[in-house]
Amino acid sequence: MSSERKGSILQFATFQSSVDEGFWHGLCSLKLNKLKTDESPISITGFYTPCSNPHVSNHLNLLAESLPTEPSDELQTAATCGNRNKCSVPGTLYNTNTYEGYQSLDKKSLLKAEGKKIWDDIRSGKVEEDSSVLLRFLIISFADLKRFHFNYSVAFPALALDPPATLVDLKPASEWFTAEEVESVSACCNEWRMSCLTADVPFFLICISSNSHATIRPLKDFKACQHEDHKILFAFYDPYHGPSNPGWPLRNYLVFIYVRWNITKVPFLCYRENRGFADMGSSLVGEAIIEPSQVGQDEMHVPQVIGWEVNGKKKVSRHIDLSTSMDPTRMVISAADLNLKLMRWRQLPSLNLSMLSSTKCLLLGAGTLGCQVARMLMAWGVRKITLVDNGKVAMSNPLRQSLYTFDDSVKGDKKAVAAAESLRKIFPAVEAEGIVMAIPMPGHPVPSKDERGVLDDCTRLRELIESHDAVFLLTDTRESRWLPTLLCANANKLTVTAALGFDSFMVMRHGAGPLSAADESKTEPVSSLSADVEKMSLSHSDSKPRLGCYFCNDVVAPVDSTTNRTLDQQCTVTRPGLAPIASALAVELFVGILHHPLGISAEAGFGNSLDSGSSEQPLGILPHQIRGALSQFSQMILVGHSSNSCTACCPTVVAEYRKRGLDFVLQAINHPTYLEDLTGLTELMKSANTFELDWDDATDNDDDDFVEI
């Protein structure tokens, strides 16, 4: 190259950083577990590789493994085996405890201190042993661990030549080398990159003999190469992709070459790759001319240091908000939603996740069924759950009731409160509330002094049902389901009942309420309501019968089922596997109702229905009742239509409740036969008791001619 050829000032492409999310995760863990309030600088590692895409530059990457496992760990600059995909370079992290501390950092002094480290490594000859120190970097940060917000700035300290170097003859390596040299240089670069010992060494020498044979040598062999009279190029891994400028690593490389060997004409190779192999078409060869300067003459004088990374075109701090991915609550929400989203993606495109998450579910009973139903609801994405129960966690509960622990039973915590707290521990995003309240029941008369409290409970229960979208009846006794059934029928709420025997279960959805939406206004005159009831039948306007409720098949009013009974009769004694089965079916039934176009008015489906195969419902059929027995491992689907004598949901009872309100409820509680009188069950039973059948059987000589039914 001719020394007389004029060149332009050498312009370097800027180096950019890429901070991985895992780096911030690691920093949070390091600060919480090791650093705490210690603001001492931390040695870290960055990684980069030669540019491998003609259109995209590579960055200095900060990963989770960039951080030491212990704050006192020294940077491991030497590895037993180099990684061609990660050329490691040393860096320093200053993390402050406050944002004010971050803002007050003396960035100029910190940058100069890092530049001095590079200068000292050049002067001492350390660069020849470990050339990665020429690429030292600096990062300052403030990590807000409460909000998972991070402010940071990155610097790549560069020692400035004064005057700056000039550039001549920058061109693709394929044009600068002869064809033989291109082939030889490519081959030796590929071999260098594949070697376990040199793959991650970013600076090296390329020596080309007179017969166009190229070899690669480490920097420490420079003097030996000079004596061999070979053409020498100073090569480096270039992360930049552009055809007009060399990358940032050349800056300190030139200072090192000038100071260490007093070379003023520096032929260099910007080594780049394509799909992991040397690409002489995108690699560049040029010559830098360094004018004599004061740099290096005074060992104590550190050249000017520049290199703070710009954000856009400004040297401002970067800010990143990782609250959506690092906040444990948000992370668990994302993880919980993943299965549901995969279900929608692969099997159920019509699955409405937003509807599930916004549906408010009221669970009456926080025992074995209540605990299981709550867990199943959360698995389906339900986020709003209220549990109502008046009992305490007993010693026998934790084994079968999945939301309680031994400690809950020792403390005697209320079930509803303990269950809600447990749900929040399992899934912090759930809006769970526990309400301690007894449900007024027919057959359990109320003393006059307690009437006010019972009426308040009735009012509160009504408000709870009206403020929720779906109600699950999961209590232990039959009579405790009466008032909720009546209130759900009145409010036309989605209602699901689950009940257990010893080895059998029943799960059912209640039909729609008997009164139309137009008749639900409580401001209408009583006469109008009565007229509506008289006009009603058991059918909807489309002549299809209403589905029944839990009490529609009863011929008596619910009564006290616990008094004067033995312990085994008072307690719900069931096989352990029964409650999970019934609870799962109850929730599946609930999800099916939500997704059916007709909701609670949907017809009952059967597994062997002729049209079941052509059903377009995403979750399959929607039965009315499911009854199963573990003794035979059997399951049946049944339908029960509503009864006009039902003590809980028939038009007569609902209309009377709307007419008299809490007075009606109190009378039903204190006088169970009142419901039988009101609905006509009393007359029905009288008729049945007096009805006689004449059995005409000539072969029967028994004196009893009649059988009482």
Side-chain angles (χ1 to χ4, degrees):
M1 303 294 170
S2 172
S3 60
E4 278 75 26
R5 297 185 64 178
K6 299 281 186 179
S8 58
I9 294 178
L10 180 54
Q11 301 288 331
F12 304 94
T14 57
F15 206 4
Q16 297 294 319
S17 65
S18 175
V19 186
D20 185 77
E21 185 175 314
F23 178 85
W24 299 118
H25 278 278
L27 178 59
C28 289
S29 177
L30 187 65
K31 183 167 180 60
L32 289 172
N33 298 324
K34 303 294 181 181
L35 299 177
K36 303 190 186 316
T37 59
D38 186 2
E39 294 185 340
S40 301
I42 308 166
S43 294
I44 61 175
T45 307
F47 304 95
Y48 91 108
T49 54
C51 180
S52 57
N53 188 306
H55 305 291
V56 180
S57 297
N58 283 348
H59 296 74
L60 179 79
N61 296 299
L62 297 178
L63 312 174
E65 60 194 277
S66 297
L67 293 161
T69 55
E70 300 287 342
S72 59
D73 283 354
E74 292 296 328
L75 180 66
Q76 301 296 318
T77 56
T80 56
C81 186
N83 187 336
R84 74 185 314 273
N85 297 314
K86 289 181 182 178
C87 178
S88 58
V89 294
T92 304
L93 168 66
Y94 290 86
N95 184 68
T96 64
N97 292 318
T98 64
Y99 181 71
E100 291 73 20
Y102 170 75
Q103 290 285 75
S104 64
L105 285 174
D106 188 344
K107 297 173 67 176
K108 184 176 180 181
S109 297
L110 292 174
L111 183 64
K112 186 174 181 179
E114 292 302 309
K116 186 177 185 306
K117 293 178 184 178
I118 298 173
W119 178 249
D120 291 342
D121 291 338
I122 290 174
R123 300 293 303 185
S124 67
K126 182 178 180 179
V127 172
E128 295 180 37
E129 300 296 331
D130 178 14
S131 60
S132 68
V133 295
L134 286 175
L135 292 173
R136 287 185 183 274
F137 67 95
L138 168 68
I139 177 170
I140 60 174
S141 67
F142 164 63
D144 184 341
L145 303 190
K146 289 186 176 180
R147 299 187 301 157
F148 299 102
H149 289 188
F150 302 90
N151 294 274
Y152 71 99
S153 294
V154 180
F156 304 102
L159 305 174
L161 288 169
D162 185 20
T166 57
L167 174 66
V168 294
D169 286 340
L170 185 67
K171 62 178 63 175
S174 57
E175 298 178 15
W176 196 90
F177 293 122
T178 65
E180 293 81 4
E181 290 173 341
V182 167
E183 184 177 353
S184 183
V185 170
S186 296
C188 68
C189 285
N190 287 331
E191 184 179 354
W192 173 270
R193 288 280 285 146
M194 294 301 293
S195 170
C196 180
L197 298 177
T198 59
D200 59 351
V201 178
F203 297 94
F204 52 94
L205 304 172
I206 293 181
C207 302
I208 305 176
S209 65
S210 57
N211 63 356
S212 300
H213 177 70
T215 58
I216 294 184
R217 308 281 289 274
L219 296 183
K220 63 182 180 180
D221 289 354
F222 173 70
K223 291 185 178 179
C225 294
Q226 277 186 312
H227 293 108
E228 294 171 1
D229 197 26
H230 287 172
K231 182 166 54 177
I232 301 174
L233 282 83
F234 296 90
F236 68 97
Y237 293 162
D238 191 353
Y240 184 59
H241 76 281
S244 304
N245 302 96
W248 187 263
L250 182 58
R251 291 197 72 126
N252 289 335
Y253 198 18
L254 289 180
V255 176
F256 163 72
I257 294 168
Y258 173 69
V259 173
R260 188 66 176 169
W261 297 313
N262 197 29
I263 299 174
T264 58
K265 297 178 182 178
V266 183
F268 60 86
L269 169 68
C270 305
Y271 173 77
R272 300 170 183 176
E273 295 182 336
N274 185 7
R275 298 183 180 180
F277 295 97
D279 183 2
M280 294 296 107
S282 61
S283 296
L284 302 177
V285 173
E287 185 178 56
I289 306 299
I290 302 174
E291 298 292 336
S293 68
Q294 298 297 317
V295 175
Q297 294 183 10
D298 183 357
E299 188 172 323
M300 301 302 296
H301 176 71
V302 181
Q304 180 186 2
V305 185
I306 60 174
W308 282 106
E309 184 179 29
V310 296
N311 188 358
K313 293 186 178 181
K314 300 179 180 179
K315 294 181 181 180
V316 296
S317 175
R318 294 179 181 270
H319 176 81
I320 183 170
D321 178 1
L322 295 181
S323 57
T324 56
S325 60
M326 291 185 67
D327 183 339
T329 300
R330 299 193 185 190
M331 290 173 67
V332 77
I333 292 174
S334 177
D337 288 345
L338 177 61
N339 186 58
L340 292 171
K341 290 178 180 178
L342 289 175
M343 286 172 56
R344 182 173 62 182
W345 172 40
R346 299 185 64 180
Q347 297 290 339
L348 302 169
S350 60
L351 189 63
N352 193 330
L353 300 183
S354 61
M355 177 174 64
L356 284 165
S357 65
S358 61
T359 299
K360 299 178 181 179
C361 291
L362 177 64
L363 278 57
L364 301 180
T368 309
L369 286 169
C371 291
Q372 293 289 349
V373 166
R375 294 294 299 263
M376 292 297 106
L377 288 173
M378 288 201 303
W380 265 109
V382 174
R383 300 290 181 259
K384 303 175 188 298
I385 300 174
T386 303
L387 299 106
V388 175
D389 201 295
N390 192 44
K392 294 182 179 181
V393 182
M395 288 291 183
S396 61
N397 292 156
L399 286 176
R400 294 177 182 239
Q401 301 180 7
S402 59
L403 295 180
Y404 307 124
T405 65
F406 172 72
D407 288 342
D408 295 327
S409 62
V410 171
K411 293 184 292 184
D413 291 341
K414 288 291 187 177
K415 282 188 172 182
V417 177
E421 183 179 355
S422 181
L423 289 177
R424 290 190 293 269
K425 288 180 179 178
I426 294 168
F427 187 64
V430 70
E431 297 177 29
E433 182 182 6
I435 295 178
V436 180
M437 186 183 75
I439 297 176
M441 298 176 285
H444 296 254
V446 180
S448 57
K449 63 183 179 62
D450 296 331
E451 285 185 0
R452 185 67 266 163
V454 170
L455 294 178
D456 288 343
D457 287 341
C458 293
T459 301
R460 192 177 187 190
L461 182 61
R462 183 198 69 210
E463 293 172 347
L464 284 171
I465 289 174
E466 291 178 352
S467 63
H468 286 75
D469 305 304
V471 182
F472 289 83
L473 307 186
L474 311 168
T475 53
D476 286 341
T477 62
R478 191 173 188 82
E479 61 268 27
S480 62
R481 301 167 189 249
W482 174 78
L483 182 57
T485 299
L486 167 62
L487 296 175
C488 287
N490 176 66
N492 209 33
K493 291 292 180 177
L494 190 166
T495 310
V496 177
T497 284
L500 306 177
F502 167 67
D503 60 2
S504 62
F505 68 87
M506 188 274 292
V507 174
M508 69 178 295
R509 59 185 174 103
H510 293 198
L515 302 184
S516 65
D519 299 324
E520 289 184 357
S521 171
K522 297 182 181 180
T523 59
E524 293 184 87
V526 173
S527 57
S528 175
L529 284 173
S530 300
D532 285 335
V533 172
E534 291 176 2
K535 295 176 183 177
M536 282 185 203
S537 67
L538 297 177
S539 303
H540 291 298
S541 58
D542 58 3
S543 299
K544 294 179 181 178
R546 268 194 323 119
L547 295 178
C549 76
Y550 183 63
F551 294 92
C552 277
N553 292 330
D554 289 353
V555 293
V556 293
V559 295
D560 186 353
S561 63
T562 59
T563 304
N564 296 325
R565 293 200 174 196
T566 61
L567 177 64
D568 63 309
Q569 292 174 326
Q570 292 183 40
C571 296
T572 306
V573 181
T574 65
R575 290 172 62 164
L578 208 61
I581 296 172
S583 301
L585 290 173
V587 174
E588 295 292 327
L589 196 58
F590 153 78
V591 175
I593 298 170
L594 280 186
H595 284 81
H596 196 286
L598 298 179
I600 60 176
S601 298
E603 291 185 65
F606 293 90
N608 58 353
S609 297
L610 294 178
D611 61 344
S612 62
S614 60
S615 174
E616 296 183 358
Q617 298 309 312
L619 296 170
I621 66 168
L622 192 61
H624 176 225
Q625 297 182 35
I626 308 166
R627 293 178 182 264
L630 276 182
S631 58
Q632 298 177 338
F633 290 91
S634 63
Q635 189 169 294
M636 297 183 298
I637 296 177
L638 304 174
V639 175
H641 293 137
S642 58
S643 167
N644 62 350
S645 297
C646 176
T647 57
C649 80
C650 75
T652 303
V653 170
V654 174
E656 191 69 13
Y657 165 71
R658 293 190 177 187
K659 176 182 177 181
R660 298 180 56 203
L662 296 181
D663 289 339
F664 163 76
V665 174
L666 192 60
Q667 186 171 358
I669 290 172
N670 289 329
H671 306 283
T673 57
Y674 166 66
L675 291 174
E676 297 172 359
D677 295 340
L678 178 67
T679 57
L681 286 176
T682 302
E683 293 298 323
L684 178 64
M685 287 186 287
K686 286 181 179 179
S687 299
N689 289 334
T690 58
F691 187 64
E692 298 177 338
L693 291 179
D694 184 4
W695 295 89
D696 185 9
D697 188 346
T699 62
D700 189 354
N701 296 321
D702 195 282
D703 293 337
D704 295 330
D705 294 331
F706 301 98
V707 176
E708 184 177 278
I709 298 179

